[in-house]
Amino acid sequence: MTTAQRFDGKVVFITGAARGQGRAEAVRFAEEGANIIALDACAEFTSTSYPGATEADLAETVRLVEATGRKIVAAKADVRDFDAVSKVLSDGIAQFGRLDVVIANAGICSGKLSWEVTLEQWRETVDVNLTGVFHTAKAAIPYLIEQGEGGAMVFTSSVSGLKGTPFTAHYAATKHGITGLAKAMANELGEHKIRVNTVHPAGVETGMNMGPDMQPLFERFAHTLGPIYMNSLPYAIAQPEDIAGVVAWVCSDEAQYLTGVQVPVDFGNLNR
């Protein structure tokens, strides 16, 4: 169930929008009245064991947004390429005339013992998850400041951005990194009424299937894991729409006094 048109007349920029949380966020904001600027790399990554999103996936996001009656500018672009990100955003603003919300959602994940992470895995994960978020924010912030009407930015972090989840050291480092980036930006941008927060999901059914990487490690190290992957609530995995609803609330006027905040959507995992 969506709230009445909280984003009517607004424009939302979303990265990693071809599927999963990015697609769900695009649809949720459109359902609440926003026009969407969306991008996705639509590519395979060398360090991940699951298939990458495709251009057909991005086209489906476009179809779903347009089915709500709202408009979308969508393009294939890699967040590692600042010029490409900037072009998609500027093209969208040229069409829609403004920018209000930024969701830096694009990310990848792989599982391995920290000292066995390859140099390629490390570089690719850092470049997509951390540098990609920086590129997204760097491209968007000047528009928001010049517009002079405030705004909201949300970076998709993870429970791994607040705790040391085993077998994901490279991923956890990036998710901790964007948490720190958001906190610093929140302090810098507060005078412009631009809010910057992070959202920290636990497991979400997005197509990023980590089973092949993680299951052998879970079995091998079951005796050391303790409660670190346990949830307080009796759920194991969320749907992308569940996270999208929280992100929409964080970006709405209902949360207008929240900035520099880490919002867990984690079944109580971080409380363990």
Side-chain angles (χ1 to χ4, degrees), residues 147-187:
Q147 189 168 272
E149 299 178 24
M153 300 200 300
V154 169
F155 302 164
T156 302
S157 186
S158 166
V159 294
S160 297
L162 295 172
K163 68 192 294 186
T165 49
F167 323 131
T168 64
H170 49 320
Y171 176 79
T174 64
K175 294 302 186 179
H176 275 74
I178 64 173
T179 301
L181 180 66
K183 293 172 74 173
M185 286 182 167
N187 288 332

Side-chain angles (χ1 to χ4, degrees), residues 65-105:
V65 168
E66 290 178 342
T68 71
R70 307 311 301 171
K71 296 179 180 178
I72 179 170
V73 170
K76 179 179 177 180
D78 193 319
V79 293
R80 293 173 290 183
D81 183 341
F82 176 73
D83 290 340
V85 172
S86 296
K87 185 178 188 309
V88 174
L89 181 57
S90 63
D91 288 349
I93 293 173
Q95 177 163 329
F96 296 136
R98 60 180 300 111
L99 178 66
D100 300 278
V101 174
V102 177
I103 312 298
N105 170 74

Side-chain angles (χ1 to χ4, degrees), residues 54-229:
T54 66
E55 292 183 63
D57 291 327
L58 186 57
E60 176 64 8
T61 298
V62 170
R63 187 190 71 79
L64 291 169
V65 168
E66 290 178 342
T68 71
R70 307 311 301 171
K71 296 179 180 178
I72 179 170
V73 170
K76 179 179 177 180
D78 193 319
V79 293
R80 293 173 290 183
D81 183 341
F82 176 73
D83 290 340
V85 172
S86 296
K87 185 178 188 309
V88 174
L89 181 57
S90 63
D91 288 349
I93 293 173
Q95 177 163 329
F96 296 136
R98 60 180 300 111
L99 178 66
D100 300 278
V101 174
V102 177
I103 312 298
N105 170 74
I108 60 173
C109 189
S110 56
K112 191 164 284 192
L113 290 167
S114 58
W115 60 94
E116 294 179 354
V117 171
T118 68
L119 297 180
E120 183 177 51
Q121 279 180 306
W122 177 268
R123 291 191 188 105
E124 189 170 66
T125 304
V126 170
D127 287 349
V128 174
N129 292 6
L130 181 55
T131 305
V133 169
F134 170 69
H135 285 167
T136 303
K138 180 176 175 61
I141 288 169
Y143 288 106
L144 293 173
I145 292 175
E146 183 179 2
Q147 189 168 272
E149 299 178 24
M153 300 200 300
V154 169
F155 302 164
T156 302
S157 186
S158 166
V159 294
S160 297
L162 295 172
K163 68 192 294 186
T165 49
F167 323 131
T168 64
H170 49 320
Y171 176 79
T174 64
K175 294 302 186 179
H176 275 74
I178 64 173
T179 301
L181 180 66
K183 293 172 74 173
M185 286 182 167
N187 288 332
E188 295 171 346
L189 293 169
E191 66 173 323
H192 301 286
K193 296 183 180 178
I194 299 168
R195 303 184 294 109
V196 190
N197 296 292
T198 48
V199 171
H200 299 260
V204 186
E205 193 170 348
T206 63
M208 295 171 64
N209 180 12
M210 295 290 294
D213 289 350
M214 300 294 277
Q215 194 57 43
L217 292 166
F218 285 154
E219 293 172 0
R220 178 180 170 188
F221 293 100
H223 61 290
T224 68
L225 293 178
I228 197 163
Y229 281 108

